[in-house]
Amino acid sequence: MTKRSKGFSAIELLVVLVVVLAAGFGGWYIWHKNQNKSTAKQPSSSNNIAQNSNNQQNQQQSDPYEGWKNYSNATYGINFKYPADWKVEEIGDGSVDSSSTSPLTAQFVINLKYVRDVRYPEAASIQVLTQDITDAAAYYDESFGQAPSNPVTKTTNSLKGKQSVQYSFPGSDAGEKDYLFAVGNKAYLFSSAFQETHIQIDRDTNYWTTFDKVFDSFQITK
């Protein structure tokens, strides 16, 4: 019988070497593949900077009041925004136009007017009435009831966190909007002004869009 020599034969050594190389290559391939996935998931710093810049630009572009001015009155708790081509006029003597037939009186008035030269510059007004919301609404109900040819829509849902009564004229060509708010023992009136003139004569086709944006920003903090 032939005696088997100790140690590995050349073929065995070759098999072991092939197995080791295959295992090493397999490990390297898996590591390299995972590194590529990790790199692909992590954007470069330059991409992050560009993305942050785009996000900031989108936020600025989404501001509907960009370029507008802000009005604030701590005495009456009134805040709102208005476009740059409007201006604010305050009347605080408590008097009303002597030619007016309205029994409603105001102790403070904010008139919003166009800066540009137009036939009637008044665009909207905010009045702090000396009457409460019950008396103010009663006057509006009686006045609008005398004009059946121009029907009015009246709603009484709360607005701006206050008891409110709203009037609008959907049947009118130009429309009209009046908002009453109960503030203590007084009523605040937010109303459109000369809307027919602005739309039909001054050709301000964006009048209602601008008016509604001003009203949306309107706040009462009293």
Side-chain angles (χ1 to χ4, degrees):
M1 178 181 287
T2 305
K3 193 174 182 180
R4 187 174 181 177
S5 61
K6 295 181 180 180
F8 295 99
S9 66
I11 295 176
E12 289 174 330
L13 289 173
L14 181 61
V15 171
V16 171
L17 179 62
V18 170
V19 171
V20 171
L21 290 175
F25 178 81
W28 173 84
Y29 178 80
I30 294 174
W31 173 84
H32 182 70
K33 187 175 182 181
N34 290 336
Q35 282 292 105
N36 289 340
K37 289 183 178 179
S38 177
T39 303
K41 290 181 179 179
Q42 296 179 359
S44 64
S45 58
S46 60
N47 289 339
N48 285 333
I49 294 174
Q51 185 175 359
N52 291 335
S53 177
N54 290 334
N55 290 337
Q56 291 177 357
Q57 290 178 359
N58 290 335
Q59 291 176 356
Q60 293 176 353
Q61 292 174 357
S62 64
D63 182 7
Y65 295 101
E66 183 178 2
W68 284 37
K69 298 180 179 180
N70 186 73
Y71 175 89
S72 181
N73 186 298
T75 301
Y76 296 101
I78 296 173
N79 294 279
F80 60 86
K81 297 180 183 297
Y82 62 100
D85 61 346
W86 288 17
K87 63 181 179 179
V88 171
E89 176 189 75
E90 297 180 336
I91 303 175
D93 60 2
S95 63
V96 294
D97 186 353
S98 60
S99 63
S100 173
T101 58
S102 170
L104 298 179
T105 56
Q107 68 180 68
F108 184 70
V109 178
I110 302 169
N111 288 322
L112 293 169
K113 298 183 175 183
Y114 289 98
V115 173
R116 65 182 186 274
D117 184 23
V118 294
R119 182 174 178 179
Y120 296 103
E122 292 83 358
S125 70
I126 302 167
Q127 301 181 44
V128 178
L129 303 177
T130 57
Q131 290 78 18
D132 62 19
I133 193 169
T134 301
D135 291 341
Y139 163 73
Y140 270 83
D141 291 343
E142 181 179 2
S143 298
F144 294 156
Q146 296 175 359
S149 61
N150 190 14
V152 62
T153 297
K154 175 185 177 182
T155 51
T156 58
N157 54 303
S158 298
L159 290 177
K160 311 293 183 180
K162 303 289 183 181
Q163 177 189 354
S164 178
V165 181
Q166 309 102 48
Y167 298 89
S168 64
F169 297 84
S172 171
D173 291 337
E176 180 180 336
K177 294 181 181 180
D178 300 277
Y179 301 89
L180 288 168
F181 298 92
V183 184
N185 61 350
K186 296 179 174 60
Y188 284 23
L189 172 63
F190 191 114
S191 60
S192 57
F194 297 109
Q195 59 282 336
E196 183 174 1
T197 299
H198 299 320
I199 295 172
Q200 297 181 0
I201 298 178
D202 297 327
R203 306 304 179 190
D204 185 359
T205 57
N206 293 321
Y207 173 79
W208 281 121
T209 300
T210 305
F211 175 87
D212 289 340
K213 283 179 63 176
V214 175
F215 178 75
D216 287 343
S217 72
F218 178 63
Q219 296 180 351
I220 303 172
T221 59
K222 293 287 285 185

